[in-house]
Amino acid sequence: DHTHDWALDGLSNHDNLAHLCKKHHTLKGAGGWNVRQLGGGRLLWTSPTKIPYETDPETQMGTTA
């Protein structure tokens, strides 16, 4: 999913893409939530009531085992 919408000039690059489940994709698109990339796959979600929630990916992108 494009964090900054592709139709609004959002780029298809690592810093603008996130893997979202259907529920979170719907929240982002129609639920009044705002999403911002923090780097390393971390996202900052801001609710319609302006409460921030930070999420971390289960697996970090670009890391080696």
Side-chain angles (χ1 to χ4, degrees):
D1 181 71
H2 290 80
T3 303
H4 178 79
D5 196 338
W6 182 84
L8 300 173
D9 296 326
L11 301 176
S12 294
N13 62 23
H14 181 74
D15 295 332
N16 191 43
L17 296 172
H19 185 77
L20 302 179
C21 69
K22 184 175 181 173
K23 178 178 109 176
H24 285 98
H25 186 268
T26 301
L27 279 176
K28 182 180 141 305
W33 287 73
N34 183 34
V35 183
R36 185 167 60 97
Q37 296 268 353
L38 298 177
R42 293 174 32 244
L43 300 174
L44 178 65
W45 293 78
T46 305
S47 75
T49 58
K50 308 300 183 215
I51 299 171
Y53 298 90
E54 208 171 296
T55 60
D56 293 306
E58 186 173 321
T59 303
Q60 287 261 326
M61 297 292 293
T63 59
T64 57

